[in-house]
């Protein structure tokens, strides 16, 4: 976030500081009560041995890192981590590639281009439960339209959501669909910032469209691309709704990621294990923050450049 | 050539929006045609049964979502607008650190916040209440709102504020009668997104309001699916109705939406 400070803003005075912080007081209190405190409770959950009863009475025994040890030793840990990586990397690769292709396609105005570009935002704006349940029905083994289309071209039906070989790919497909609009819009606005004179010069030098893309567009778009991918990474790591609604992480953990595993541990069973659930959640936070900090660093460097 | 591009654009959009079309198509399909193979590509024997089910069963859910959405907008603006004014114009010492904290806060996965909130709400008795859900949903929007409004308010010309000061307006007065009206567009953008995120929220609803007397529409749909309900026309009809705010938003506020999507990602 670049904040341009005009030189003519009044100097910092003591009374000015009071006023400034009075206006900030609500948000500071808000952050303390509704961000810091829940996060603290989450860390506490992960370090104690909570049950539903001790939750209410507040006398859960201290367990140290036992919950973390339990999580690391769990048979679900390795697959959940692997699925998180596959889900994130494959989603990002396709979202970005398709988004970039579409951004280039839309970058030259044609009739209806603005309207169509707006329509492309729809998947991003729909509630995730709407998208996820629509995809669930489209990918239904017996009655889904996707299998109907496959049989039309002579391919056999696929058990998209019920086969362990396919469920992860099913949720990835849905997630790519949801993420394309974000990539398209951001990359499109990045393209608009490239002066057309650069293209004209390249065209004069005899560069064809393909060369223009790889020699001009792509390098000049690198900063925006980096930001798009990093932000996408942070967002994708925490995707939970789509997977939970479509497959609940199943069958037999085949599409379980760290986010859905954490939810299942804490809320998905009749006997919740809050401690391990919170421990998985905290691992996820650490991952998100590492990439989040990289994102902020890159963005600041660009803003300064 | 240009006409060819328009045709290609139409084709691409059709492919992209096919799931949306399919949702609408299924919402009009009769029960007995639901498992027909191959399916009807158009609602040839269209029925309104699905929508009748929505009217009969989903009204309270929709009302709750509306209340939660509006409450989230109000809470978000009350917290974020003064903060943004301060960060943009009053030069608080430590403001940079606060902006940084907000950026970080935006990246915390909702599922983790949900678990912390659950622990707090359970002991304070706010679990399964609408105000609790509003508070939780507002965490989706507050950091974004402060950052967007700050960027915008930084662009307000200093002369405007100085003129107000010369006329004897205090900091508060300047904020209410100058900064807020001038920032109307960004306030609208922030409100739209806060509403949409609260309306669409599933993580907080399913963890903090699962046993509530008033539940939002996302849980309405989820219960439909979860009950092993085979009336997919009713499920999809509910999904169509739940998509109305997003659609309205796109039609009436398209430029705000695009601005909101790129905000924070692109240097302006």
């Amino acid at each position: 976030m670049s904040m341009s400070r005009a030189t003519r803003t009044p100097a910092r005075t003591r009374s000015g500081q009071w006023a400034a912080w009075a206006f900030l007081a609500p948000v500071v209190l808000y952050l303390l009560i509704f961000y810091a405190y829940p996060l603290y409770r989450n860390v506490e959950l992960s370090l104690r041995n909570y049950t539903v009863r001790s939750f209410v009475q507040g006398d859960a025994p201290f367990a140290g890192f036992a919950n973390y040890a339990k999580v690391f030793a769990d048979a679900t840990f390795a697959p959940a981590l692997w699925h998180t990586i596959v889900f994130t990397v494959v989603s990002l690769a396709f979202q970005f590639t398709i988004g970039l292709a579409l951004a280039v396609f839309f970058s030259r105005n044609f009739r209806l281009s603005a309207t169509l570009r707006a329509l492309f935002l729809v998947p991003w704006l729909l509630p995730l439960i709407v998208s996820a349940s629509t995809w669930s029905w489209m990918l239904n083994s017996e009655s889904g339209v996707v299998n109907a289309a496959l049989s039309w071209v002579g391919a056999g039906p696929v058990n998209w959501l019920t086969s362990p070989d396919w469920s992860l790919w099913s949720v990835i497909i849905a997630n790519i669909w949801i993420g394309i609009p974000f990539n398209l819009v951001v990359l499109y606005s990045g393209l608009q910032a490239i002066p057309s004179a650069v293209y004209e010069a390249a065209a004069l030098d005899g560069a064809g469209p393909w060369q223009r893309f790889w020699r001009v567009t792509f390098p000049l778009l690198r900063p925006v691309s980096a930001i798009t991918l990093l932000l996408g990474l942070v967002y994708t790591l925490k995707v939970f709704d789509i997977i939970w609604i479509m497959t609940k992480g199943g069958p037999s953990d085949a599409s379980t990621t760290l986010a859905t595993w954490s939810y299942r541990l804490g809320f998905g069973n009749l006997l919740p294990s809050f401690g391990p659930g919170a421990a998985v959640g905290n691992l996820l936070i650490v991952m998100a923050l590492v990439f989040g900090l990289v994102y902020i660093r890159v963005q600041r460097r660009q803003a300064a450049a | 050539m240009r006409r060819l591009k328009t045709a290609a654009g139409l084709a691409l959009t059709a492919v992209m929006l096919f799931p949306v079309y399919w949702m609408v198509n299924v919402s009009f399909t009769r029960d007995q045609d639901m498992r027909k193979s191959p399916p009807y590509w158009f609602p040839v024997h269209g029925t309104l049964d699905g929508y009748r089910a929505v009217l009969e069963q989903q009204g309270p859910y929709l009302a709750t979502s509306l209340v939660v959405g509006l409450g989230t907008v109000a809470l978000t603006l009350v917290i974020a607008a003064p903060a943004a004014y301060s960060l943009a114009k009053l030069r608080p010492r430590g403001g940079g650190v606060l902006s940084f904290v907000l950026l970080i806060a935006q990246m915390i996965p909702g599922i983790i916040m949900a678990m912390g909130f659950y622990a707090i709400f359970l002991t304070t008795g706010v679990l399964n209440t609408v105000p609790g859900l509003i508070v939780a949903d507002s965490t989706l929007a507050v950091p974004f709102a402060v950052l967007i409004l700050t960027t915008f308010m930084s662009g307000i010309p200093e002369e405007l504020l100085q003129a107000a000061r010369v006329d004897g307006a205090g900091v508060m007065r300047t904020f209410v009668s100058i900064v807020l009206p001038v920032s109307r567009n960004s306030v609208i953008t922030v409100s739209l997104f806060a509403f949409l995120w609260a309306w669409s929220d599933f993580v907080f609803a399913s963890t903090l309001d699962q046993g509530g007397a008033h539940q939002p529409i996302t849980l309405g749909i989820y219960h439909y699916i979860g009950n092993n309900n085979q009336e997919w026309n009713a499920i999809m009809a509910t999904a169509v109705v739940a998509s109305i705010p997003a659609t309205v938003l796109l039609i009436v506020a398209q430029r705000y939406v695009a601005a909101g999507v790129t905000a924070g990602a692109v240097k302006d």
Side-chain angles (χ1 to χ4, degrees):
Chain A
M1 187 104 331
S2 67
M3 265 188 292
S4 57
R5 291 242 163 84
T7 42
R8 295 177 58 192
T9 40
R12 283 176 172 160
T13 60
R14 183 166 291 200
S15 70
Q17 284 299 304
W18 273 108
W21 277 96
F23 276 88
L24 286 180
V27 86
V28 171
L29 278 177
Y30 180 90
L31 286 173
L32 286 175
I33 301 174
F34 298 126
Y35 266 97
Y37 187 53
L39 288 178
Y40 162 77
R41 283 304 298 264
N42 207 49
V43 172
E44 206 218 343
L45 277 180
S46 75
L47 295 178
R48 284 179 188 273
N49 210 346
Y50 269 103
T51 60
V52 175
R53 212 174 64 93
S54 56
F55 225 112
V56 181
Q57 300 179 339
D59 57 352
F62 188 76
F65 288 95
N67 285 323
Y68 290 89
K70 210 188 283 175
V71 163
F72 285 128
D74 198 298
T76 309
F77 179 74
L81 181 64
W82 174 242
H83 296 153
T84 307
I85 295 170
V86 171
F87 181 81
T88 309
V89 171
V90 176
S91 291
L92 282 181
F94 279 93
Q95 287 170 1
F96 181 81
T97 314
I98 298 173
L100 181 58
L102 287 167
V104 171
F105 176 78
F106 279 111
S107 66
R108 299 289 181 76
N109 281 333
F110 52 86
R111 228 162 76 89
L112 289 180
S113 66
T115 314
L116 295 181
R117 201 154 37 80
L119 283 174
F120 262 84
L121 281 171
V122 168
W124 194 78
L125 291 172
L126 291 183
L128 288 173
I129 185 139
V130 168
S131 316
S133 47
T134 303
W135 276 99
S136 288
W137 185 240
M138 285 173 56
L139 294 173
N140 185 286
S141 296
E142 294 84 33
S143 326
V145 65
V146 175
N147 276 350
L150 281 181
S151 77
W152 212 32
V153 295
V158 173
N159 290 323
W160 293 101
L161 300 171
T162 49
S163 143
D165 299 330
W166 285 101
S167 63
L168 185 62
W169 297 105
S170 304
V171 293
I172 288 176
I173 290 170
N175 190 53
I176 292 171
W177 183 73
I178 291 161
I180 288 173
F182 172 76
N183 286 265
L184 163 63
V185 172
V186 176
L187 292 169
Y188 175 84
S189 71
L191 282 179
Q192 298 301 303
I194 299 176
S196 56
V198 182
Y199 289 109
E200 283 154 21
L204 277 181
D205 287 346
W210 194 245
Q211 269 191 320
R212 280 206 295 271
F213 176 77
W214 285 110
R215 299 273 171 84
V216 181
T217 314
F218 202 65
L220 285 176
L221 212 56
R222 265 239 300 272
V224 178
S225 304
I227 290 293
T228 314
L229 282 170
L230 280 168
L231 214 53
L233 186 62
V234 175
Y235 290 154
T236 311
L237 273 179
K238 60 181 180 181
V239 167
F240 151 77
D241 316 43
I242 308 160
I243 304 176
W244 187 259
I245 295 159
M246 286 178 71
T247 68
K248 288 208 161 58
S252 59
D253 283 344
S255 56
T256 294
T257 62
L258 291 176
T260 61
W261 190 29
S262 170
Y263 180 91
R264 199 185 63 203
L265 287 168
F267 300 102
N269 300 320
L270 282 175
L271 271 180
S273 25
F274 295 110
V280 175
N282 288 330
L283 293 178
L284 197 61
I285 282 204
V286 172
M287 290 170 71
L289 285 191
V290 167
F291 292 112
L293 289 173
V294 175
Y295 156 75
I296 292 173
R297 225 184 109 84
V298 170
Q299 208 202 25
R300 295 239 157 130
R301 247 207 333 248
Q302 287 181 15
Chain B
M1 182 62 196
R2 287 198 129 199
R3 200 170 295 164
L4 206 70
K5 266 200 117 171
T6 304
L10 283 168
L12 287 172
T13 314
V15 170
M16 185 71 177
L17 293 189
F18 179 78
V20 179
Y21 168 72
W22 202 248
M23 166 175 79
V24 176
N25 184 27
V26 173
S27 77
F28 288 116
T29 302
R30 293 184 304 179
D31 281 336
Q32 63 262 43
D33 294 339
M34 202 58 76
R35 298 207 169 260
K36 189 180 159 299
S37 176
Y40 285 122
W41 294 85
F42 306 96
V44 264
H45 304 291
T47 172
L48 289 172
D49 285 351
Y51 289 89
R52 236 167 258 137
V54 175
L55 279 179
E56 278 163 22
Q57 297 160 26
Q58 301 292 332
Y61 291 100
L62 289 164
T64 308
S65 279
L66 196 64
V67 172
V68 170
L70 294 175
T72 304
V73 170
L75 180 59
T76 302
L77 287 180
V78 165
I79 304 278
Y85 170 49
S86 177
L87 287 173
K89 288 297 176 192
L90 301 178
R91 310 183 64 208
R93 212 163 264 137
V97 177
L98 189 61
S99 305
F100 184 75
V101 170
L102 287 164
L103 265 179
I104 296 284
Q106 231 180 340
M107 295 167 176
I108 298 166
I111 177 72
I112 287 134
M113 295 292 293
M115 221 169 277
F117 272 127
Y118 184 82
I120 297 169
F121 283 10
L122 190 69
T123 39
T124 49
V126 198
L127 200 66
N128 297 326
T129 65
V130 168
L133 192 55
I134 290 176
V135 164
D137 280 350
S138 73
T139 60
L140 300 168
V142 165
F144 168 84
V146 178
L147 296 171
I148 298 300
L149 290 172
T150 305
T151 312
F152 185 84
M153 289 178 184
S154 301
I156 299 176
E158 206 57 47
E159 290 78 10
L160 202 63
L161 304 183
Q162 254 164 16
R165 226 168 283 138
V166 171
D167 288 344
V171 187
M172 191 65 196
R173 190 70 205 283
T174 314
F175 172 62
V176 174
S177 25
I178 304 214
V179 174
L180 279 185
V182 170
S183 315
R184 212 190 58 199
N185 284 356
S186 54
V187 169
I188 293 176
T189 309
V190 162
S191 306
L192 291 173
F193 274 91
F195 183 86
L196 199 63
W197 286 335
W199 177 276
S200 314
D201 160 71
F202 172 72
V203 177
F204 289 132
S206 75
T207 49
L208 305 175
D209 196 22
Q210 214 163 24
H214 304 285
Q215 300 189 354
I217 187 66
T218 47
L219 286 188
I221 300 177
Y222 188 61
H223 295 325
Y224 252 154
I225 311 172
N227 292 342
N228 231 341
N229 190 318
Q230 291 308 312
E231 286 158 17
W232 275 88
N233 50 17
I235 298 176
M236 288 294 105
T238 317
V240 171
V241 174
S243 310
I244 289 174
T247 316
V248 171
L249 209 139
L250 195 63
I251 293 167
V252 299
Q254 193 191 317
R255 66 199 173 100
Y256 298 118
V257 173
V261 177
T262 50
V266 179
K267 174 170 83 168
D268 20 30

